[in-house]
Coordinates of all heavy atoms in Angstrom, one line a residue:
M234 N 0.8 -1.2 0.0 CA 0.0 0.0 0.0 C 0.8 1.3 0.0 O 0.5 2.3 -0.6 CB -0.9 0.0 1.2 CG -2.1 -0.9 1.2 SD -3.2 -0.7 2.5 CE -2.5 -1.7 3.8
E235 N 1.9 1.2 0.7 CA 2.7 2.4 0.9 C 3.7 2.7 -0.3 O 4.2 3.8 -0.4 CB 3.5 2.4 2.2 CG 4.6 1.4 2.2 CD 4.3 0.0 2.6 OE1 3.1 -0.4 2.6 OE2 5.2 -0.9 2.7
Q236 N 3.9 1.8 -1.2 CA 4.8 1.9 -2.3 C 4.2 2.9 -3.3 O 3.0 3.0 -3.5 CB 5.2 0.6 -2.9 CG 5.9 -0.3 -1.9 CD 6.2 -1.7 -2.5 OE1 5.6 -2.0 -3.5 NE2 7.0 -2.4 -1.8
D237 N 5.1 3.6 -4.0 CA 4.6 4.6 -5.0 C 3.9 3.9 -6.2 O 3.1 4.6 -6.8 CB 5.8 5.4 -5.5 CG 5.4 6.6 -6.3 OD1 4.6 7.4 -5.7 OD2 5.8 6.8 -7.5
F238 N 4.1 2.6 -6.4 CA 3.3 1.9 -7.5 C 1.8 2.1 -7.3 O 1.1 2.3 -8.2 CB 3.7 0.4 -7.4 CG 2.8 -0.4 -8.3 CD1 3.1 -0.5 -9.7 CD2 1.7 -1.1 -7.8 CE1 2.3 -1.2 -10.5 CE2 0.9 -1.8 -8.7 CZ 1.2 -1.9 -10.0
Y239 N 1.4 2.1 -6.1 CA 0.0 2.3 -5.8 C -0.4 3.7 -5.6 O -1.3 4.3 -6.3 CB -0.4 1.5 -4.5 CG -0.2 0.0 -4.6 CD1 0.8 -0.6 -4.0 CD2 -1.1 -0.8 -5.4 CE1 1.0 -1.9 -4.1 CE2 -0.9 -2.1 -5.5 CZ 0.2 -2.7 -4.9 OH 0.4 -4.0 -5.0
K240 N 0.3 4.4 -4.7 CA 0.0 5.8 -4.4 C 0.2 6.7 -5.6 O -0.6 7.6 -5.9 CB 0.8 6.3 -3.2 CG 0.4 5.6 -1.9 CD 1.4 6.0 -0.8 CE 1.7 7.4 -0.7 NZ 2.5 7.8 0.5
G241 N 1.3 6.5 -6.3 CA 1.7 7.4 -7.4 C 0.7 7.3 -8.5 O 0.4 8.4 -9.1
R242 N 0.3 6.2 -8.8 CA -0.7 6.0 -9.9 C -2.0 6.8 -9.7 O -2.5 7.4 -10.5 CB -1.0 4.5 -10.2 CG -1.9 4.3 -11.4 CD -2.0 2.8 -11.7 NE -2.9 2.7 -12.8 CZ -2.6 2.5 -14.0 NH1 -1.3 2.4 -14.3 NH2 -3.5 2.3 -15.0
H243 N -2.5 6.7 -8.5 CA -3.7 7.3 -8.1 C -3.5 8.8 -8.0 O -4.3 9.6 -8.5 CB -4.3 6.8 -6.8 CG -4.8 5.4 -6.9 ND1 -4.0 4.3 -6.8 CD2 -6.1 5.0 -7.3 CE1 -4.8 3.2 -7.0 NE2 -6.0 3.6 -7.3
T244 N -2.4 9.3 -7.4 CA -2.2 10.7 -7.2 C -1.8 11.3 -8.6 O -2.4 12.3 -9.0 CB -1.1 10.9 -6.2 OG1 -1.4 10.3 -5.0 CG2 -0.8 12.4 -6.0
G245 N -0.9 10.7 -9.3 CA -0.3 11.3 -10.5 C -1.3 11.3 -11.6 O -1.5 12.3 -12.4
V246 N -1.9 10.1 -11.9 CA -2.8 10.0 -13.1 C -4.2 10.5 -12.8 O -4.8 11.1 -13.7 CB -2.8 8.5 -13.5 CG1 -3.7 8.2 -14.6 CG2 -1.4 8.0 -13.8
H247 N -4.7 10.2 -11.6 CA -6.1 10.5 -11.4 C -6.4 11.7 -10.4 O -7.5 12.0 -10.2 CB -6.8 9.2 -10.8 CG -6.7 8.1 -11.8 ND1 -7.4 8.0 -12.9 CD2 -6.0 6.9 -11.7 CE1 -7.1 6.9 -13.6 NE2 -6.2 6.2 -12.9
G248 N -5.3 12.2 -9.8 CA -5.5 13.3 -8.9 C -6.1 13.0 -7.6 O -6.7 13.9 -7.0
I249 N -6.0 11.8 -7.2 CA -6.6 11.3 -5.9 C -5.6 11.4 -4.8 O -4.5 10.9 -4.9 CB -7.1 9.9 -6.0 CG1 -8.2 9.8 -7.1 CG2 -7.7 9.4 -4.7 CD1 -8.7 8.4 -7.5
D250 N -5.9 12.1 -3.7 CA -5.0 12.1 -2.5 C -5.1 10.7 -1.8 O -6.2 10.3 -1.5 CB -5.4 13.2 -1.6 CG -5.1 14.6 -2.1 OD1 -4.1 14.7 -2.9 OD2 -5.8 15.5 -1.8
V251 N -4.0 10.1 -1.6 CA -4.0 8.7 -1.0 C -3.5 8.8 0.4 O -2.4 9.4 0.7 CB -3.1 7.8 -1.8 CG1 -3.1 6.4 -1.1 CG2 -3.7 7.7 -3.2
I252 N -4.2 8.3 1.4 CA -3.8 8.2 2.8 C -3.7 6.7 3.1 O -4.6 5.9 2.9 CB -4.8 8.8 3.7 CG1 -5.0 10.3 3.4 CG2 -4.4 8.6 5.2 CD1 -6.1 11.0 4.2
V253 N -2.5 6.3 3.5 CA -2.2 4.9 3.8 C -2.2 4.7 5.3 O -1.6 5.6 6.0 CB -0.9 4.4 3.2 CG1 -0.6 3.0 3.5 CG2 -0.9 4.6 1.7
T254 N -2.8 3.6 5.8 CA -2.8 3.4 7.2 C -1.3 3.2 7.7 O -0.4 2.9 6.9 CB -3.5 2.1 7.6 OG1 -3.0 1.0 6.8 CG2 -5.0 2.2 7.2
D255 N -1.1 3.5 9.0 CA 0.3 3.4 9.5 C 0.7 2.0 9.5 O 0.0 1.0 9.3 CB 0.4 4.1 10.8 CG -0.4 3.4 11.9 OD1 -0.5 2.2 11.9 OD2 -0.9 4.1 12.8
E256 N 2.0 1.8 9.7 CA 2.7 0.5 9.7 C 2.1 -0.5 10.7 O 1.9 -1.7 10.3 CB 4.2 0.6 9.9 CG 4.9 -0.6 9.7 CD 6.4 -0.5 9.9 OE1 6.9 0.7 9.9 OE2 7.1 -1.5 10.0
A257 N 1.7 -0.1 11.9 CA 1.1 -1.0 12.8 C -0.3 -1.5 12.4 O -0.6 -2.7 12.5 CB 1.0 -0.2 14.2
E258 N -1.0 -0.6 11.8 CA -2.4 -1.0 11.3 C -2.2 -1.9 10.1 O -3.0 -2.9 10.0 CB -3.2 0.2 10.9 CG -3.6 1.1 12.1 CD -4.4 0.4 13.1 OE1 -5.0 -0.7 12.9 OE2 -4.6 1.0 14.2
R259 N -1.3 -1.7 9.2 CA -1.0 -2.6 8.1 C -0.6 -3.9 8.6 O -1.1 -5.0 8.0 CB 0.0 -2.0 7.1 CG -0.5 -0.8 6.4 CD 0.4 -0.4 5.2 NE 1.8 -0.2 5.5 CZ 2.4 0.9 6.0 NH1 1.7 2.0 6.2 NH2 3.7 0.9 6.2
A260 N 0.2 -4.0 9.6 CA 0.7 -5.3 10.2 C -0.5 -6.0 10.8 O -0.6 -7.2 10.6 CB 1.8 -5.0 11.2
R261 N -1.4 -5.3 11.4 CA -2.6 -5.9 12.0 C -3.5 -6.5 11.0 O -4.0 -7.6 11.1 CB -3.3 -4.9 12.9 CG -4.4 -5.5 13.7 CD -4.9 -4.5 14.7 NE -6.1 -3.9 14.3 CZ -6.8 -3.0 15.0 NH1 -6.4 -2.6 16.2 NH2 -8.0 -2.6 14.6
I262 N -3.7 -5.7 9.9 CA -4.6 -6.2 8.8 C -3.9 -7.4 8.2 O -4.6 -8.4 7.9 CB -4.8 -5.1 7.8 CG1 -5.7 -4.0 8.4 CG2 -5.5 -5.7 6.6 CD1 -5.7 -2.7 7.6
H263 N -2.6 -7.4 7.9 CA -1.9 -8.5 7.3 C -2.1 -9.7 8.2 O -2.3 -10.8 7.7 CB -0.4 -8.1 7.2 CG 0.4 -9.1 6.4 ND1 1.0 -10.2 7.1 CD2 0.6 -9.3 5.1 CE1 1.6 -10.9 6.2 NE2 1.4 -10.4 5.0
A264 N -1.9 -9.6 9.5 CA -2.0 -10.8 10.4 C -3.4 -11.3 10.3 O -3.6 -12.6 10.3 CB -1.6 -10.4 11.8
I265 N -4.4 -10.5 10.4 CA -5.8 -11.0 10.3 C -6.0 -11.7 9.0 O -6.6 -12.8 9.0 CB -6.8 -9.8 10.5 CG1 -6.7 -9.2 11.9 CG2 -8.2 -10.3 10.1 CD1 -7.4 -7.9 12.1
I266 N -5.6 -11.2 7.9 CA -5.8 -11.9 6.6 C -5.1 -13.2 6.6 O -5.7 -14.2 6.3 CB -5.4 -11.0 5.5 CG1 -6.3 -9.8 5.4 CG2 -5.3 -11.7 4.1 CD1 -5.8 -8.7 4.4
F267 N -3.8 -13.2 6.8 CA -3.0 -14.4 6.6 C -2.9 -15.4 7.7 O -2.5 -16.5 7.5 CB -1.6 -14.0 6.1 CG -1.6 -13.3 4.7 CD1 -1.5 -11.9 4.6 CD2 -1.8 -14.1 3.6 CE1 -1.6 -11.3 3.4 CE2 -1.9 -13.5 2.4 CZ -1.8 -12.1 2.2
E268 N -3.2 -15.0 8.9 CA -3.2 -15.9 10.0 C -4.6 -16.4 10.3 O -4.8 -17.5 11.0 CB -2.6 -15.3 11.3 CG -1.1 -15.0 11.1 CD -0.5 -14.2 12.2 OE1 -1.2 -14.1 13.3 OE2 0.6 -13.7 12.1
E269 N -5.6 -15.7 9.9 CA -7.0 -16.1 10.2 C -7.8 -16.3 9.0 O -8.2 -17.5 8.7 CB -7.6 -15.0 11.1 CG -6.9 -14.8 12.4 CD -7.5 -13.7 13.2 OE1 -8.7 -13.3 13.1 OE2 -6.7 -13.1 14.0
L270 N -8.1 -15.3 8.2 CA -9.1 -15.4 7.2 C -8.8 -16.4 6.1 O -9.7 -17.2 5.7 CB -9.4 -14.0 6.5 CG -9.9 -12.9 7.4 CD1 -10.1 -11.6 6.7 CD2 -11.3 -13.4 8.0
V271 N -7.5 -16.5 5.6 CA -7.2 -17.5 4.6 C -7.2 -18.9 5.2 O -7.3 -19.8 4.4 CB -5.8 -17.2 4.0 CG1 -5.8 -15.8 3.3 CG2 -4.7 -17.3 5.0
N272 N -7.3 -19.0 6.5 CA -7.4 -20.3 7.1 C -8.8 -20.6 7.6 O -9.1 -21.5 8.4 CB -6.4 -20.4 8.3 CG -5.0 -20.4 7.8 OD1 -4.6 -21.2 7.0 ND2 -4.2 -19.5 8.4
G273 N -9.8 -19.8 7.2 CA -11.2 -20.0 7.5 C -11.5 -19.6 9.0 O -12.6 -19.9 9.5
I274 N -10.7 -18.8 9.6 CA -10.9 -18.4 11.0 C -11.5 -17.0 11.0 O -10.9 -16.1 10.3 CB -9.6 -18.4 11.8 CG1 -9.0 -19.8 11.9 CG2 -9.9 -17.8 13.2 CD1 -7.6 -19.8 12.4
E275 N -12.6 -16.8 11.6 CA -13.3 -15.5 11.7 C -13.5 -15.1 13.1 O -14.6 -15.5 13.7 CB -14.6 -15.4 10.9 CG -14.4 -15.6 9.4 CD -15.7 -15.5 8.6 OE1 -16.7 -15.0 9.1 OE2 -15.7 -16.0 7.4
R276 N -12.6 -14.4 13.7 CA -12.7 -14.0 15.1 C -13.5 -12.7 15.2 O -13.2 -11.8 14.4 CB -11.4 -13.9 15.8 CG -10.6 -15.2 15.9 CD -9.3 -15.1 16.6 NE -9.2 -13.9 17.4 CZ -8.0 -13.2 17.6 NH1 -6.9 -13.7 17.1 NH2 -8.0 -12.2 18.4
E277 N -14.4 -12.6 16.1 CA -15.2 -11.3 16.2 C -14.4 -10.1 16.4 O -14.6 -9.1 15.7 CB -16.2 -11.5 17.4 CG -17.2 -10.3 17.4 CD -18.1 -10.2 16.1 OE1 -18.4 -11.3 15.5 OE2 -18.4 -9.1 15.7
D278 N -13.3 -10.1 17.2 CA -12.5 -8.9 17.4 C -11.8 -8.6 16.1 O -11.6 -7.4 15.8 CB -11.5 -9.1 18.6 CG -10.6 -10.3 18.4 OD1 -10.9 -11.3 17.8 OD2 -9.4 -10.1 18.9
S279 N -11.4 -9.6 15.3 CA -10.7 -9.3 14.1 C -11.7 -8.7 13.1 O -11.4 -7.8 12.3 CB -10.1 -10.6 13.5 OG -9.1 -11.0 14.4
L280 N -12.9 -9.2 13.1 CA -14.0 -8.7 12.2 C -14.3 -7.2 12.4 O -14.7 -6.5 11.6 CB -15.2 -9.6 12.2 CG -15.1 -11.0 11.8 CD1 -16.4 -11.8 12.0 CD2 -14.6 -11.1 10.3
Q281 N -14.0 -6.8 13.7 CA -14.3 -5.4 14.0 C -13.1 -4.5 13.7 O -13.2 -3.3 13.8 CB -14.6 -5.3 15.5 CG -15.9 -6.0 15.9 CD -17.1 -5.5 15.1 OE1 -17.3 -4.3 14.9 NE2 -17.9 -6.4 14.5
A282 N -11.9 -5.1 13.4 CA -10.7 -4.3 13.3 C -10.7 -3.4 12.1 O -10.4 -2.2 12.2 CB -9.5 -5.3 13.1
D283 N -11.2 -3.9 10.9 CA -11.1 -3.0 9.7 C -12.1 -1.9 9.8 O -11.8 -0.8 9.4 CB -11.3 -3.9 8.5 CG -10.4 -3.5 7.3 OD1 -9.2 -3.2 7.6 OD2 -10.9 -3.4 6.2
P284 N -13.4 -2.1 10.2 CA -14.2 -0.9 10.4 C -13.7 0.1 11.3 O -13.8 1.3 11.1 CB -15.5 -1.5 10.9 CG -15.5 -2.9 10.5 CD -14.1 -3.4 10.5
S285 N -13.0 -0.3 12.3 CA -12.3 0.6 13.3 C -11.2 1.4 12.5 O -11.1 2.6 12.7 CB -11.7 -0.1 14.4 OG -10.9 0.7 15.2
I286 N -10.4 0.7 11.7 CA -9.4 1.4 11.0 C -10.0 2.4 10.0 O -9.5 3.5 9.8 CB -8.5 0.4 10.3 CG1 -7.7 -0.5 11.4 CG2 -7.5 1.0 9.3 CD1 -7.0 -1.7 10.8
A287 N -11.0 2.0 9.3 CA -11.7 2.8 8.3 C -12.3 4.1 9.0 O -12.2 5.2 8.5 CB -12.8 2.1 7.6
S288 N -12.8 3.9 10.2 CA -13.3 5.1 11.0 C -12.2 6.0 11.3 O -12.4 7.2 11.2 CB -14.0 4.6 12.3 OG -15.2 3.9 12.0
Q289 N -11.1 5.5 11.7 CA -9.9 6.4 12.0 C -9.5 7.1 10.7 O -9.2 8.3 10.8 CB -8.7 5.5 12.5 CG -8.9 4.9 13.8 CD -7.9 3.9 14.2 OE1 -6.8 3.9 13.6 NE2 -8.1 3.1 15.2
A290 N -9.5 6.5 9.6 CA -9.2 7.1 8.3 C -10.2 8.2 8.0 O -9.8 9.3 7.5 CB -9.1 6.1 7.2
T291 N -11.4 8.0 8.3 CA -12.4 9.0 8.0 C -12.2 10.2 8.9 O -12.3 11.4 8.4 CB -13.8 8.4 8.4 OG1 -14.1 7.3 7.6 CG2 -14.9 9.5 8.1
R292 N -11.8 10.1 10.1 CA -11.4 11.2 11.0 C -10.2 11.9 10.4 O -10.0 13.1 10.7 CB -11.2 10.7 12.4 CG -12.5 10.3 13.1 CD -12.4 10.1 14.6 NE -11.5 9.0 14.9 CZ -11.9 7.7 15.0 NH1 -13.1 7.4 14.7 NH2 -11.0 6.8 15.3
A293 N -9.4 11.2 9.7 CA -8.2 11.9 9.1 C -8.5 12.6 7.8 O -7.7 13.2 7.2 CB -7.1 10.8 8.8
G294 N -9.8 12.5 7.3 CA -10.2 13.3 6.2 C -10.5 12.5 4.9 O -10.8 13.1 3.9
T295 N -10.5 11.1 5.0 CA -10.8 10.4 3.8 C -12.3 10.4 3.5 O -13.2 10.6 4.4 CB -10.4 8.9 3.9 OG1 -11.1 8.3 5.0 CG2 -8.9 8.8 4.1
D296 N -12.7 10.3 2.2 CA -14.1 10.2 1.9 C -14.5 8.9 1.3 O -15.6 8.6 0.9 CB -14.5 11.3 0.9 CG -13.7 11.3 -0.4 OD1 -12.9 10.3 -0.6 OD2 -13.8 12.2 -1.2
S297 N -13.5 7.9 1.2 CA -13.8 6.6 0.8 C -12.5 5.7 1.1 O -11.5 6.3 1.5 CB -14.1 6.5 -0.7 OG -12.9 7.0 -1.4
V298 N -12.7 4.4 1.0 CA -11.6 3.5 1.2 C -11.5 2.5 0.1 O -12.5 2.1 -0.5 CB -11.6 2.8 2.6 CG1 -11.5 3.7 3.7 CG2 -12.9 2.0 2.7
I299 N -10.3 2.1 -0.3 CA -10.1 1.1 -1.3 C -9.8 -0.2 -0.6 O -8.8 -0.3 0.2 CB -8.9 1.5 -2.2 CG1 -9.3 2.8 -3.0 CG2 -8.6 0.3 -3.2 CD1 -8.1 3.3 -3.8
L300 N -10.5 -1.2 -0.9 CA -10.3 -2.5 -0.3 C -9.4 -3.3 -1.4 O -9.9 -3.9 -2.3 CB -11.6 -3.3 -0.1 CG -12.7 -2.5 0.6 CD1 -14.0 -3.3 0.8 CD2 -12.2 -2.0 1.9
G301 N -8.1 -3.2 -1.2 CA -7.2 -3.6 -2.2 C -6.7 -5.1 -2.0 O -5.8 -5.4 -2.6
C302 N -7.4 -5.9 -1.2 CA -7.1 -7.3 -1.1 C -8.4 -8.1 -1.1 O -9.4 -7.6 -0.5 CB -6.3 -7.4 0.3 SG -5.9 -9.1 0.7
T303 N -8.3 -9.2 -1.7 CA -9.6 -10.0 -1.9 C -10.3 -10.3 -0.5 O -11.5 -10.3 -0.4 CB -9.3 -11.3 -2.6 OG1 -8.3 -12.0 -2.0 CG2 -8.9 -11.0 -4.1
E304 N -9.5 -10.5 0.5 CA -10.1 -10.8 1.8 C -10.6 -9.7 2.6 O -11.4 -9.8 3.5 CB -9.1 -11.6 2.7 CG -8.8 -13.0 2.2 CD -7.7 -13.0 1.1 OE1 -7.1 -12.0 0.9 OE2 -7.6 -14.1 0.5
I305 N -10.2 -8.4 2.3 CA -10.7 -7.3 3.0 C -12.2 -7.1 3.0 O -12.8 -6.7 3.9 CB -10.0 -6.0 2.5 CG1 -8.5 -6.0 2.8 CG2 -10.6 -4.7 3.1 CD1 -8.1 -6.0 4.3
G306 N -12.8 -7.5 1.9 CA -14.3 -7.5 1.8 C -15.0 -8.3 2.8 O -16.1 -8.1 3.1
M307 N -14.2 -9.3 3.4 CA -14.8 -10.1 4.5 C -14.9 -9.3 5.8 O -15.7 -9.6 6.7 CB -14.0 -11.3 4.7 CG -14.0 -12.3 3.5 SD -12.8 -13.6 3.8 CE -13.6 -14.6 5.1
L308 N -14.1 -8.2 5.8 CA -14.0 -7.4 7.0 C -14.8 -6.1 6.9 O -15.4 -5.6 7.9 CB -12.6 -7.0 7.4 CG -11.6 -8.2 7.6 CD1 -10.2 -7.7 7.8 CD2 -12.0 -8.9 8.9
L309 N -14.7 -5.5 5.7 CA -15.3 -4.2 5.5 C -16.2 -4.2 4.3 O -15.9 -4.7 3.3 CB -14.2 -3.2 5.3 CG -14.5 -1.7 5.4 CD1 -15.0 -1.3 6.8 CD2 -13.3 -0.9 5.0
N310 N -17.4 -3.6 4.5 CA -18.3 -3.5 3.4 C -19.2 -2.3 3.5 O -19.0 -1.5 4.5 CB -19.2 -4.8 3.3 CG -19.8 -5.1 4.7 OD1 -20.6 -4.3 5.2 ND2 -19.6 -6.3 5.2
E311 N -20.2 -2.2 2.7 CA -21.1 -1.0 2.7 C -21.9 -0.9 4.0 O -22.2 0.2 4.4 CB -22.1 -1.0 1.5 CG -21.4 -0.9 0.1 CD -20.9 -2.2 -0.4 OE1 -21.1 -3.3 0.2 OE2 -20.2 -2.2 -1.4
E312 N -22.1 -2.0 4.6 CA -22.9 -2.0 5.9 C -22.2 -1.5 7.1 O -22.8 -0.9 8.0 CB -23.5 -3.4 6.1 CG -24.4 -3.8 5.1 CD -24.8 -5.3 5.2 OE1 -24.5 -5.9 6.3 OE2 -25.5 -5.8 4.3
N313 N -20.8 -1.7 7.1 CA -20.1 -1.4 8.4 C -19.0 -0.3 8.1 O -18.3 0.0 9.1 CB -19.5 -2.6 9.0 CG -18.5 -3.3 8.2 OD1 -18.1 -2.8 7.1 ND2 -17.9 -4.4 8.7
A314 N -18.9 0.2 6.9 CA -17.9 1.2 6.7 C -18.4 2.6 6.9 O -19.6 2.9 6.6 CB -17.4 1.1 5.2
A315 N -17.6 3.4 7.5 CA -18.0 4.8 7.7 C -18.0 5.7 6.5 O -18.7 6.7 6.4 CB -17.0 5.5 8.7
V316 N -17.3 5.2 5.4 CA -17.3 5.9 4.1 C -17.5 4.8 3.1 O -17.3 3.7 3.3 CB -16.0 6.7 3.9 CG1 -15.9 7.9 4.9 CG2 -14.8 5.8 4.0
P317 N -17.8 5.2 1.8 CA -18.0 4.2 0.8 C -16.7 3.4 0.6 O -15.6 4.0 0.4 CB -18.3 5.0 -0.5 CG -18.8 6.3 0.1 CD -18.1 6.6 1.4
P318 N -16.8 2.1 0.6 CA -15.6 1.2 0.3 C -15.7 0.8 -1.2 O -16.7 0.5 -1.7 CB -15.9 0.0 1.2 CG -17.4 -0.1 1.3 CD -17.9 1.3 1.2
Y319 N -14.5 0.8 -1.8 CA -14.4 0.3 -3.2 C -13.7 -1.0 -3.1 O -12.5 -1.1 -2.9 CB -13.6 1.4 -4.0 CG -14.4 2.6 -4.3 CD1 -14.4 3.7 -3.4 CD2 -15.3 2.7 -5.3 CE1 -15.1 4.8 -3.6 CE2 -16.1 3.8 -5.5 CZ -16.0 4.9 -4.7 OH -16.8 6.0 -4.9
N320 N -14.4 -2.1 -3.3 CA -13.9 -3.4 -3.2 C -13.3 -3.8 -4.6 O -14.0 -4.1 -5.5 CB -15.0 -4.4 -2.8 CG -14.5 -5.8 -2.6 OD1 -13.5 -6.2 -3.1 ND2 -15.3 -6.5 -1.8
T321 N -12.0 -3.8 -4.7 CA -11.3 -4.1 -5.9 C -11.6 -5.5 -6.5 O -11.7 -5.7 -7.7 CB -9.8 -3.8 -5.8 OG1 -9.3 -4.7 -4.8 CG2 -9.5 -2.4 -5.5
D322 N -11.8 -6.4 -5.6 CA -12.2 -7.8 -6.0 C -13.5 -7.7 -6.8 O -13.6 -8.2 -7.9 CB -12.3 -8.7 -4.8 CG -12.6 -10.1 -5.2 OD1 -12.0 -10.6 -6.1 OD2 -13.5 -10.7 -4.5
A323 N -14.5 -7.1 -6.2 CA -15.8 -7.0 -6.9 C -15.7 -6.1 -8.2 O -16.4 -6.5 -9.2 CB -16.9 -6.4 -5.9
I324 N -15.0 -5.1 -8.1 CA -14.8 -4.2 -9.3 C -14.2 -5.0 -10.5 O -14.7 -4.9 -11.6 CB -14.0 -2.9 -9.0 CG1 -14.8 -2.0 -8.0 CG2 -13.6 -2.2 -10.2 CD1 -13.9 -0.9 -7.4
H325 N -13.2 -5.8 -10.2 CA -12.5 -6.6 -11.2 C -13.5 -7.7 -11.7 O -13.5 -7.9 -12.9 CB -11.2 -7.2 -10.7 CG -10.1 -6.2 -10.6 ND1 -9.6 -5.7 -9.4 CD2 -9.4 -5.6 -11.6 CE1 -8.7 -4.9 -9.7 NE2 -8.5 -4.8 -11.0
R326 N -14.2 -8.3 -10.9 CA -15.2 -9.3 -11.3 C -16.2 -8.7 -12.3 O -16.5 -9.3 -13.3 CB -15.9 -9.9 -10.1 CG -15.2 -11.0 -9.4 CD -16.1 -11.8 -8.5 NE -17.0 -11.0 -7.7 CZ -16.8 -10.6 -6.5 NH1 -15.6 -10.9 -5.9 NH2 -17.6 -9.8 -5.8
E327 N -16.8 -7.5 -11.9 CA -17.7 -6.9 -12.7 C -17.2 -6.5 -14.1 O -17.8 -6.6 -15.1 CB -18.3 -5.6 -12.1 CG -19.3 -5.9 -10.9 CD -20.5 -6.7 -11.4 OE1 -21.1 -6.4 -12.4 OE2 -20.9 -7.7 -10.7
A328 N -15.9 -6.0 -14.1 CA -15.3 -5.6 -15.3 C -15.1 -6.8 -16.2 O -15.3 -6.8 -17.4 CB -13.9 -4.9 -15.0
A329 N -14.7 -8.0 -15.6 CA -14.5 -9.2 -16.4 C -15.8 -9.7 -17.0 O -15.8 -10.1 -18.2 CB -13.9 -10.3 -15.5
L330 N -16.8 -9.6 -16.2 CA -18.2 -10.0 -16.8 C -18.6 -9.0 -17.9 O -19.1 -9.5 -18.9 CB -19.2 -10.0 -15.6 CG -19.1 -11.1 -14.6 CD1 -20.0 -10.9 -13.5 CD2 -19.3 -12.5 -15.3
D331 N -18.4 -7.8 -17.7 CA -18.7 -6.8 -18.8 C -17.9 -7.1 -20.1 O -18.5 -7.1 -21.1 CB -18.4 -5.4 -18.3 CG -19.4 -4.9 -17.3 OD1 -20.5 -5.5 -17.1 OD2 -19.1 -3.8 -16.6
M332 N -16.7 -7.4 -19.9 CA -15.9 -7.7 -21.1 C -16.3 -9.0 -21.7 O -16.4 -9.1 -23.0 CB -14.4 -7.9 -20.7 CG -13.7 -6.6 -20.4 SD -12.0 -6.7 -19.9 CE -11.3 -7.3 -21.5
A333 N -16.7 -10.0 -20.9 CA -17.2 -11.3 -21.5 C -18.5 -11.1 -22.2 O -18.8 -11.8 -23.2 CB -17.3 -12.3 -20.3
R334 N -19.3 -10.2 -21.7 CA -20.7 -9.9 -22.4 C -20.5 -9.1 -23.7 O -21.4 -9.2 -24.5 CB -21.6 -9.2 -21.4 CG -22.0 -10.0 -20.2 CD -22.9 -9.2 -19.3 NE -23.1 -9.9 -18.1 CZ -22.9 -9.3 -16.9 NH1 -22.4 -8.1 -16.8 NH2 -23.1 -10.0 -15.8
A335 N -19.4 -8.4 -23.8 CA -19.3 -7.5 -25.0 C -19.0 -8.3 -26.3 O -18.6 -9.4 -26.3 CB -18.2 -6.5 -24.7

């Protein structure tokens, strides 16, 4: 998330200001995804972690969040996000279906 490959493309090409969660929050999200979710473990405190992080980002001035990992949609969605989430997994699926229909 913090590398310019992601931030630079959005900022430079699309004029979007990108705010990345701090290193501790990224480590927490990473641990939840790779130690729990990919192993089929859904702990209630972990399921509450991402909405909490998104709420913190909202207080920092964000108006939306990008869910840039396929598992993040298990944690954060339209129902529990403080701002609109953009689920890249769903966006890519829809684009693929649109291309297949064309």
Side-chain angles (χ1 to χ4, degrees):
M234 286 187 274
E235 70 276 9
Q236 297 175 350
D237 193 54
F238 172 81
Y239 299 105
K240 291 172 52 176
R242 181 174 180 99
H243 289 89
T244 302
V246 176
H247 301 288
I249 298 171
D250 291 329
V251 177
I252 299 171
V253 178
T254 57
D255 65 34
E256 188 175 347
E258 295 295 350
R259 291 193 309 271
R261 188 166 106 178
I262 293 168
H263 186 271
I265 291 169
I266 291 170
F267 292 103
E268 294 173 13
E269 297 175 29
L270 297 179
V271 298
N272 294 307
I274 300 167
E275 294 183 17
R276 293 182 21 211
E277 189 59 36
D278 61 326
S279 296
L280 295 176
Q281 297 302 315
D283 221 42
S285 170
I286 294 167
S288 293
Q289 292 171 19
T291 302
R292 288 190 296 276
T295 61
D296 59 8
S297 60
V298 292
I299 296 173
L300 312 181
C302 177
T303 54
E304 289 81 14
I305 294 291
M307 296 172 69
L308 300 172
L309 191 64
N310 55 56
E311 294 83 9
E312 295 173 10
N313 65 0
V316 294
Y319 290 90
N320 186 335
T321 58
D322 182 45
I324 292 168
H325 284 108
R326 277 195 317 265
E327 288 299 317
L330 288 172
D331 288 346
M332 288 179 69
R334 291 182 191 124

